[in-house]
Structure formats: structure tokens, C-alpha cells
Amino acid sequence: MCNTSEKYHYLVEYRIPQPYTLEEYERGYFYTHQEFGKEQTGGGGGILYNIRKQIEDPVMGKGHYTEKTYYLEKKLPSTLKVITPKKLQKAFNIFETSRSFANYTVTEYVSLTTDVIGEKTFKITLESKQCSEQTDNAFDLSEECLKRREIRYIDFTSDIHSKDYNEKTDPLKIYSQKAGRGHFQKGSIEAIQPLIWVYKLYTVRCTIPGVGLLKNTIFESTTRMFEVFYRLMFSLCDQWYDVSLDEIEEREERIKLELEQLFKDQNVRGIKD
């Protein structure tokens, strides 16, 4: 998916070690994704489900296809609001399509306001993969793309933004009785067993001049989102540890309705500037 000929084109890869087996991670991730959506939705901003259905790929096997809408205009950091014209701020309301399989997911994001910025001016592709061992090229990028790739590392036992800290989700203070792990030491994630590596590759295509000025701000917000998400996932471990994927899927319709109600609420929720 890397095209080195594109002028405004960025590759940012996140590497996120996590204290689970691959099977545990799959269940925990999908369960937490449902709960995270509720925490980030309210006051006319956040996430709404459109479609979720089962699919089957000849190579990847059985999986799911989803469509969601992210209303992020009200959640923009102040630095972005200052430098982004009001009309263009609506471009941060995003339509998502995703194809998810056991250890691989590909997600595409485009702006809802193509009348403002044009359909082909802004597109983000996110590839996610979980591996039992660390690797330097999880997505088989070419040499040219590897040169353009920026790597960001997240250790959820390390310090996070003060506005995001929640003692109830601090992995240094939490112990999961069902998983038999927790009370981690700060900066110790790579010494924990079991351990898997989560890789997330963002390919950003944007032909809007000056987008480079926004890149760091956008990915600082993305980093904070992952830090909050993975702390929440561990804090919920005893809730999802014995829950099957089928049971998690059965929750989807209820979660969809809850998000719709939260969206109509007056209170803006989620990560704050």
C-alpha cells in the first residue's frame, strides 16, 4: 500500500507490546473496542456503527466487515483548531470501513466532507497485525517505504499524558485474578510473559498543502488514544477473560444502540485536549 511517488504521503508504524497470548488479545481487543467507543461518545461527537457483517476471504478465512462513522470535529486539539479553518474542521468527521480477521485487520478512513476537500485529497489506511515475536518489517514494506517509515513505540506501563491518567486503569496498580498477571513495574513490558507484539501501520495520503504541519499533532493524539485504550483493555481483563468471541459479537447490537443514545447526550466524553 506504500506509493513513494506521492508527495504528501506519510508512513507511521506503532509497535505495542502486550501481555497476552494471541487468542487472549483477540477477545480482549474486540471487547475493549466496544467499551472504548462508549467512553469516547457523547455531545454529538464520537463513534456510530453503520454496518457489521460476517465475511469470508479465500486467504484470510472468516472475518468481519464493518462500517462506522467517527464524528471528531468537536474533539480536535486546540492547536489544530487554531490553524485549521472552520470549514476544513468538518473534514475530521470520518467514514471508516474495516475488514477484520484473526491476526490481521485493514481499515480505511476517508472524510465525510468530500465537498469541502475532495474525495481523493485525504485517505488513511491502517493495517494491524499481531505477532508472537518481534519483527522489523511486519508489513513486508519495500526498501523505499522502509526509509519513509516513522516508528513509534508504546509501553503501556510507562508514563502517559497527565490529563489521560486514571488510577483505575493503571497497569502498575491493577492485578487480573483471572489472567494471573498485573502489578507491572514501570517500563517492564518486554520482560513480561506471555508477550505479543501489536503492529499498526498508518499510511496517510493527503494532497492538502501544509498537511505536514498537522502530522505531529494528529499522531500525538493517536498515541494518546492507544495509551488510553490499552490501559483500559488491561483494566477490563477480568470482564472479558472468560467471554467467548461469539458472546462478544452478541453484544454488538446493544452497543450500537448505546452509542446512538450517548451521541445524543449533551456531555462530550473522551480524551481531552
Side-chain angles (χ1 to χ4, degrees):
M1 295 188 179
C2 174
N3 181 355
T4 55
S5 66
E6 295 184 50
K7 185 176 180 182
Y8 300 107
H9 181 189
Y10 302 98
L11 290 173
V12 179
E13 180 181 302
Y14 282 88
R15 297 181 176 183
I16 312 170
Q18 285 288 281
Y20 310 107
T21 66
L22 290 172
E23 188 273 337
E24 289 171 347
Y25 178 85
E26 184 179 11
R27 289 184 291 111
Y29 179 85
F30 286 118
Y31 183 96
T32 306
H33 198 275
Q34 294 172 342
E35 295 300 315
F36 187 73
K38 292 192 295 183
E39 290 200 357
Q40 300 299 315
T41 300
I47 306 167
L48 291 178
Y49 280 69
N50 301 327
I51 294 174
R52 177 177 171 85
K53 63 182 181 180
Q54 292 186 345
I55 57 174
E56 188 160 354
D57 183 270
V59 177
M60 302 300 297
K62 293 182 179 180
H64 289 91
Y65 171 83
T66 60
E67 292 181 3
K68 299 175 187 174
T69 306
Y70 290 77
Y71 293 92
L72 305 179
E73 180 185 358
K74 293 185 178 182
K75 292 175 170 291
L76 293 181
S78 57
T79 50
L80 270 180
K81 289 181 180 178
V82 169
I83 63 177
T84 306
K86 183 68 176 178
K87 186 178 180 180
L88 282 180
Q89 289 180 21
K90 293 184 179 296
F92 290 91
N93 293 328
I94 304 296
F95 178 69
E96 173 201 285
T97 59
S98 181
R99 289 175 288 123
S100 177
F101 303 94
N103 290 320
Y104 178 77
T105 301
V106 58
T107 306
E108 293 187 341
Y109 305 90
V110 295
S111 174
L112 290 176
T113 54
T114 55
D115 59 321
V116 175
I117 63 172
E119 184 174 0
K120 296 183 179 179
T121 57
F122 176 78
K123 182 179 180 179
I124 296 176
T125 301
L126 168 61
E127 294 178 84
S128 303
K129 183 180 288 189
Q130 296 82 248
C131 302
S132 56
E133 296 181 353
Q134 190 173 8
T135 178
D136 192 52
N137 192 4
F139 300 98
D140 298 321
L141 298 177
S142 67
E143 288 298 323
E144 284 299 312
C145 290
L146 289 174
K147 291 177 183 177
R148 298 180 64 165
R149 179 186 63 178
E150 174 188 340
I151 295 173
R152 296 192 175 211
Y153 178 85
I154 293 179
D155 177 349
F156 82 148
T157 68
S158 296
D159 292 335
I160 65 172
H161 196 289
S162 59
K163 291 184 178 180
D164 299 333
Y165 180 76
N166 182 346
E167 187 175 8
K168 294 181 179 179
T169 64
D170 188 339
L172 279 62
K173 298 183 178 182
I174 297 171
Y175 187 86
S176 168
Q177 296 294 333
K178 292 183 179 180
R181 68 200 74 141
H183 290 162
F184 302 125
Q185 297 297 310
K186 181 178 177 181
S188 66
I189 186 66
E190 291 191 44
I192 297 169
Q193 291 296 324
L195 184 72
I196 63 167
W197 287 83
V198 179
Y199 296 90
K200 293 183 176 291
L201 179 68
Y202 283 90
T203 303
V204 182
R205 300 170 178 86
C206 188
T207 58
I208 303 173
V211 69
L213 299 174
L214 307 179
K215 173 174 169 280
N216 285 339
T217 300
I218 291 172
F219 281 104
E220 284 170 7
S221 296
T222 303
T223 298
R224 288 177 62 185
M225 177 191 70
F226 283 142
E227 290 171 340
V228 171
F229 178 90
Y230 283 108
R231 284 185 166 220
L232 177 64
M233 180 171 165
F234 187 75
S235 74
L236 297 175
C237 194
D238 282 347
Q239 293 185 29
W240 59 255
Y241 197 78
D242 293 331
V243 181
S244 69
L245 283 174
D246 288 340
E247 291 172 318
I248 294 171
E249 187 168 340
E250 289 173 2
R251 300 174 79 239
E252 283 289 299
E253 188 60 32
R254 176 169 60 81
I255 296 296
K256 177 182 177 181
L257 295 175
E258 288 183 28
L259 289 174
E260 291 173 356
Q261 290 301 314
L262 288 169
F263 187 83
K264 297 174 184 177
D265 190 19
Q266 295 299 312
N267 297 320
V268 177
R269 295 178 179 82
I271 297 173
K272 297 179 175 60
D273 188 13

